[in-house]
Amino acid sequence: ILLVAAAGNGGKNAVESYPASYNSVMSVAATDSNDNVANFSQENDQVDIAAPGVSIRSTLPSHVAASGYSAWSGTSMATPHVSGVAALVW
C-alpha cells in the first residue's frame, strides 16, 4: 500500500506535519508554475516529492462558486497529482 499525504502549508521553517511526516508516507510539497517550491510549502527532510500546487483549478459546489470552478493553492492541491500518477504506475 502506498500512502500519499500533503506536506503542509507552514512554509520552509515549519515543524513536521502528520501524517505526511511518518516514514511510511510519501510526503508531497507544492510547486509553482516555474517549478519552484511554493513559498507556503513545507520543506523538510520528510518531503519526498513535489507537484504543482499553486492556482490549481478545482470544482466547487455552485453555492460556493457560481461557475463551479475556482483556483486554490496548497500542498493539498499538489497531492492528487502525485496520487494519480502513482495509481497509474504502481
Side-chain angles (χ1 to χ4, degrees), residues 6-7 9 28 73-80:
N9 299 324
V28 182
S73 296
T75 57
S76 294
M77 299 304 289
T79 301

Side-chain angles (χ1 to χ4, degrees), residues 2-5 26 28 49 51 78-90:
L2 176 63
L3 302 173
V4 181
M26 180 177 279
V28 182
I49 194 166
T79 301
H81 292 92
V82 173
S83 299
V85 171
L88 292 173
V89 300
W90 190 257

Side-chain angles (χ1 to χ4, degrees), residues 7-59:
N9 299 324
K12 186 175 192 173
N13 298 316
V15 297
E16 295 175 344
S17 66
Y18 292 87
S21 290
Y22 288 120
N23 289 332
S24 60
V25 176
M26 180 177 279
S27 181
V28 182
T31 60
D32 61 22
S33 60
N34 294 315
D35 208 25
N36 296 313
V37 175
N39 62 349
F40 57 80
S41 184
Q42 289 192 209
E43 293 182 71
N44 57 48
D45 61 349
Q46 294 298 321
V47 172
D48 298 298
I49 194 166
V54 175
S55 298
I56 305 299
R57 289 191 49 87
S58 184
T59 56

